[in-house]
Amino acid sequence: MKKRLGKSSKRMAAAVMAAVLAFGLTACGDSGSSSVNSGGTPAETGAVQSEGDQVGTDEKEEVTIDIFMDSAGENPMTAGIQEDPVAQYIKEQTGVTLNVVLFSNEKQQAMAASGDLYDVNRMGLQYITPLIQAGAVQSLDDYLQYAPSMAEGFSEMVNYSKGYLSNGENKMYAICARGKSQPSPLATSRYGNFIRWEWYKEAGSPEINSIDDFLNLLKTIQEKHPQTESGKKTYGISRFNDWGLNNTLSDPIIWKYCAQYGLNDLSSFSIPDLEYIDLYNENHMYWITADMYFKANQMGILDPETYTQKNEDYSQKISEGQVFFSSMEWDFDAGNAELNKNGGTDKYVDIPWADTAEFPAWISRASEFGMAARTFVVSSKCDETKLKGIMRLFDFVFSEDGARSIMNGPKGITWDYDENGVAVFTEDCKQKMKENPDYLLEQGANRYLGLVGQDYDALAVSEANKGDYIDIRLNKEFVEENMTEADKDYCDFYGVDVPLEVSTKRENQSTIHEGYINLMPAENPTNIQRSVTKISDYLQQAVPAMVFSQTREEYDQKFAEIQAELKNMGYDEVTAYYKDAWETAKTNYDALTGK
């Protein structure tokens, strides 16, 4: 049976909705306080303004904006006024000084319930309709002229926002960042099978033609490296329980290679054919993962704290070398940086599973409407000066120049256009990067990825750069010039020029269009949500108990019990509701995109 991929979706908070309707008046937050219709595709509109064009005729009056947003992992921010070179460049180009309030789910929920918003706020989709009804957020229609890179270059996102995030008013209240109108290969922050290259070779470089082959590889590595240098026991697989049910009960390596994606906590779909998959289907990503983890536990390679620890605990184990596989590339950023400083002869790399029809690996992504988890709203209490500044800011982050500056550092300092209009690193920057691997980070690169309008690995649409990544570091020429010995060995082994081609040259690969996910309901009817919460809480306990069964017979018995209990808890009604919503989402997606 073909198995398929899943990704985290936030649990909907229906209980908060009633509280949100009781919003009181909210201030827009003084500096330092705590508190267009279709314009064609980006290629048609050329949504890449120079800094002189980005802000139209506005005088760029200086303004400080309080913004509630998350911090990037690679180059984290501290709260307060931002003063790094990228922040200074943003101020120079837009007149906006960023005063950052760091995001947390708890604070988001409290803000939604009280109506006490900052100027700009990352906010879950489930909160937006009640915020509109309470008059707490600002319609942006009258200010779209100040953000042509967004309004014209990402018109599908604008139309989606007006049609589905406006309380039926057909106005633009929400901005969904991290857009990617055209699919491109995932070149950064990827999911996969990340293992230390020298350890893979030490294990005999086996092909991975099945999940059993994958587990046997991890077992072989564990046998050769049973303890860390400090004497702690090692594990092949470990997870955590505080990123939502999808991240707890399904492993992203299954998302990547089996091409299945989560719609919510209780259903998923096949990326290649958009087939809806519910929990009665043994090929649901939860059950593929559970079976894999059961086998791993039987082999002694599953961390016994997999279902009880937090991501912070898991990350600590990664950093201490207790876990030698991760399905998330960023887990090994620090490890790879250290290996690179030690000569670059070793590296954590994505070891591909077999290029077969059983593994139609998720390689590319489009985010036509932006990413739901990067949705921003503006307080209705902002005055006109702040509103113009906010829209200049979003024009900047959706423009090619702005997105590239967020990813690579300030234009004119770290990068610029050559005589042919191609974006390149400056000679001074190249020299400084050789002398100091952290130079771009010190210039503010990747610090504001939580705000960037174009996705981390979006392709450029400007004529001279068309087909290249906006992030210069991802383009083939730069990668080839900067490969380590481990990169070269890895590429030689797989017969490719650069590491990304190990994925992109697969015959069996798939592309996800995340716009489908955006069109699923952000909130559910009360009776459905009640069942969703009850079933999710049940699975949080029942699935780990099944995984840690002593025998296959016990595992099978517990699986049957789970299936029966799902029916008893009203899952038939829940999955019928989600399936209908999925079919509606597919229809609406086609209407919005013309695909």
Side-chain angles (χ1 to χ4, degrees):
M1 286 173 288
K2 189 180 291 186
K3 299 177 174 136
R4 298 168 168 95
L5 172 142
K7 193 176 180 183
S8 168
S9 299
K10 299 290 184 185
R11 183 178 299 174
M12 303 161 207
V16 179
M17 295 302 98
V20 177
L21 296 177
F23 281 163
L25 293 176
T26 175
C28 187
D30 295 330
S31 300
S33 72
S34 60
S35 87
V36 133
N37 239 334
S38 178
T41 67
E44 292 166 344
T45 61
V48 48
Q49 281 73 31
S50 69
E51 49 269 41
D53 296 329
Q54 288 178 141
V55 295
T57 60
D58 189 54
E59 294 86 1
K60 292 193 290 188
E61 183 176 355
E62 291 192 2
V63 61
T64 297
I65 300 299
D66 299 337
I67 181 166
F68 179 60
M69 61 178 287
D70 58 298
S71 179
E74 180 188 13
N75 196 7
M77 297 175 286
T78 55
I81 298 294
Q82 304 299 297
E83 298 179 335
D84 59 82
V86 168
Q88 291 298 320
Y89 184 68
I90 290 173
K91 181 178 179 179
E92 174 189 326
Q93 300 305 317
T94 68
V96 172
T97 295
L98 297 175
N99 182 43
V100 169
V101 182
L102 295 177
F103 177 90
S104 73
N105 279 319
E106 295 76 14
K107 191 169 184 65
Q108 174 189 225
Q109 292 168 5
M111 289 165 57
S114 69
D116 187 13
L117 301 182
Y118 296 96
D119 299 337
V120 178
N121 310 269
R122 177 184 157 188
M123 196 60 58
L125 298 188
Q126 68 269 36
Y127 303 123
I128 291 176
T129 294
L131 285 167
I132 295 171
Q133 292 171 343
V137 294
Q138 172 71 40
S139 167
L140 304 174
D141 292 60
D142 292 341
Y143 297 90
L144 288 176
Q145 63 182 301
Y146 299 102
S149 294
M150 179 185 75
E152 299 170 13
F154 290 83
S155 58
E156 288 178 340
M157 183 274 286
V158 174
N159 291 337
Y160 159 73
S161 178
K162 290 183 175 184
Y164 296 90
L165 301 178
S166 68
N167 191 38
E169 298 177 19
N170 196 35
K171 296 179 180 179
M172 186 172 186
Y173 286 99
I175 296 172
C176 300
R178 278 191 67 182
K180 188 156 66 168
S181 296
Q182 302 299 322
S184 64
L186 294 161
T188 185
S189 299
R190 299 176 296 160
Y191 297 117
N193 178 27
F194 294 94
I195 294 174
R196 193 162 166 169
W197 181 236
E198 288 298 329
W199 290 359
Y200 175 66
K201 293 194 296 182
E202 181 184 54
S205 307
E207 293 185 2
I208 303 175
N209 294 295
S210 65
I211 288 177
D212 287 342
D213 286 348
F214 167 63
L215 296 176
N216 288 333
L217 167 61
L218 298 182
K219 181 63 176 177
T220 299
I221 295 175
Q222 186 195 52
E223 288 172 346
K224 294 180 179 295
H225 304 276
Q227 293 182 332
T228 67
E229 291 182 2
S230 62
K232 293 185 177 181
K233 180 175 172 55
T234 60
Y235 302 102
I237 295 176
S238 184
R239 286 299 285 167
F240 45 88
N241 69 5
D242 57 337
W243 279 18
L245 204 64
N246 275 278
N247 272 281
T248 302
L249 301 187
S250 56
D251 194 307
I253 197 169
I254 300 303
W255 311 355
K256 166 72 178 280
Y257 286 107
C258 296
Q260 194 177 131
Y261 201 89
L263 287 175
N264 43 59
D265 283 348
L266 303 182
S267 57
S268 60
F269 72 97
S270 161
I271 292 174
D273 57 17
L274 301 180
E275 173 193 354
Y276 176 83
I277 303 172
D278 66 20
L279 292 171
Y280 292 141
N281 189 329
E282 66 179 5
N283 285 329
H284 188 284
M285 60 191 187
Y286 286 3
W287 311 137
I288 300 173
T289 300
D291 185 72
M292 180 175 74
Y293 281 12
F294 166 74
K295 291 177 179 177
N297 187 54
Q298 296 288 303
M299 298 168 70
I301 59 174
L302 181 69
D303 180 358
E305 296 181 320
T306 286
Y307 293 107
T308 58
Q309 67 192 349
K310 306 302 182 187
N311 177 259
E312 180 182 4
D313 307 314
Y314 164 83
S315 297
Q316 183 65 30
K317 289 178 178 177
I318 290 277
S319 66
E320 293 181 358
Q322 280 190 268
V323 184
F324 42 76
F325 147 78
S326 176
S327 48
M328 301 177 294
E329 180 181 35
W330 58 87
D331 279 337
F332 291 123
D333 281 349
N336 277 336
E338 193 62 31
L339 289 170
N340 196 40
K341 290 177 182 177
N342 291 332
T345 58
D346 198 4
K347 187 175 186 177
Y348 291 91
V349 294
D350 185 5
I351 307 297
W353 288 17
D355 186 4
T356 62
E358 185 180 6
F359 299 128
W362 167 27
I363 303 301
S364 303
R365 175 177 64 208
S367 302
E368 299 90 342
F369 311 139
M371 297 195 74
R374 291 295 180 274
T375 299
F376 292 88
V377 294
V378 176
S379 170
S380 60
K381 299 303 178 181
C382 287
D383 61 23
E384 184 167 287
T385 299
K386 281 197 171 184
L387 284 165
K388 288 180 179 179
I390 289 166
M391 295 306 278
R392 293 195 301 267
L393 172 65
F394 278 105
D395 186 67
F396 176 85
V397 300
F398 275 91
S399 73
E400 206 167 286
D401 278 7
R404 189 175 287 116
S405 293
I406 287 177
M407 297 171 191
N408 294 146
K411 180 184 176 185
I413 296 177
T414 60
W415 70 276
D416 214 324
Y417 293 108
D418 66 12
E419 65 276 7
N420 298 314
V422 177
V424 295
F425 285 117
T426 64
E427 291 303 317
D428 179 67
C429 177
K430 285 195 249 184
Q431 182 60 37
K432 286 179 178 174
M433 284 193 288
K434 290 178 182 178
E435 297 169 357
N436 176 12
D438 294 328
Y439 173 68
L440 288 186
L441 300 183
E442 292 171 0
Q443 294 299 306
N446 279 0
R447 182 160 290 164
Y448 304 102
L449 288 179
L451 180 64
V452 70
Q454 303 212 43
D455 208 353
Y456 306 166
D457 47 15
L459 297 176
V461 299
S462 55
E463 193 59 40
N465 297 277
K466 193 172 292 184
D468 285 342
Y469 287 104
I470 293 176
D471 187 340
I472 300 169
R473 292 171 295 177
L474 302 181
N475 291 320
K476 186 171 182 178
E477 292 118 347
F478 181 83
V479 173
E480 286 181 316
E481 290 174 4
N482 292 276
M483 288 202 299
T484 65
E485 291 305 311
D487 289 323
K488 294 174 183 177
D489 191 37
Y490 176 75
C491 290
D492 287 344
F493 183 85
Y494 289 109
V496 297
D497 294 330
V498 293
L500 183 61
E501 291 178 346
V502 173
S503 292
T504 59
K505 289 194 172 183
R506 289 177 66 96
E507 179 181 347
N508 294 278
Q509 59 174 281
S510 55
T511 299
I512 189 164
H513 294 264
E514 289 189 327
Y516 291 108
I517 312 300
N518 296 61
L519 292 166
M520 289 293 286
E523 50 189 307
N524 299 320
T526 301
N527 63 318
I528 295 294
Q529 185 56 45
R530 188 181 300 116
S531 295
V532 166
T533 301
K534 183 168 61 174
I535 293 169
S536 297
D537 290 344
Y538 167 71
L539 292 175
Q540 190 89 41
Q541 304 301 319
V543 174
M546 179 176 69
V547 166
F548 287 107
S549 296
Q550 295 300 307
T551 64
R552 172 58 73 175
E553 291 74 21
E554 181 185 350
Y555 178 95
D556 291 342
Q557 180 182 348
K558 288 182 177 178
F559 180 75
E561 291 171 356
I562 289 173
Q563 293 293 302
E565 191 61 25
L566 287 172
K567 185 172 288 289
N568 293 337
M569 298 176 83
Y571 186 61
D572 285 356
E573 182 181 18
V574 169
T575 192
Y577 165 77
Y578 280 140
K579 186 173 184 179
D580 182 66
W582 176 238
E583 295 304 319
T584 300
K586 290 193 289 186
T587 299
N588 291 339
Y589 175 88
D590 292 343
L592 273 171
T593 63
K595 296 177 181 177

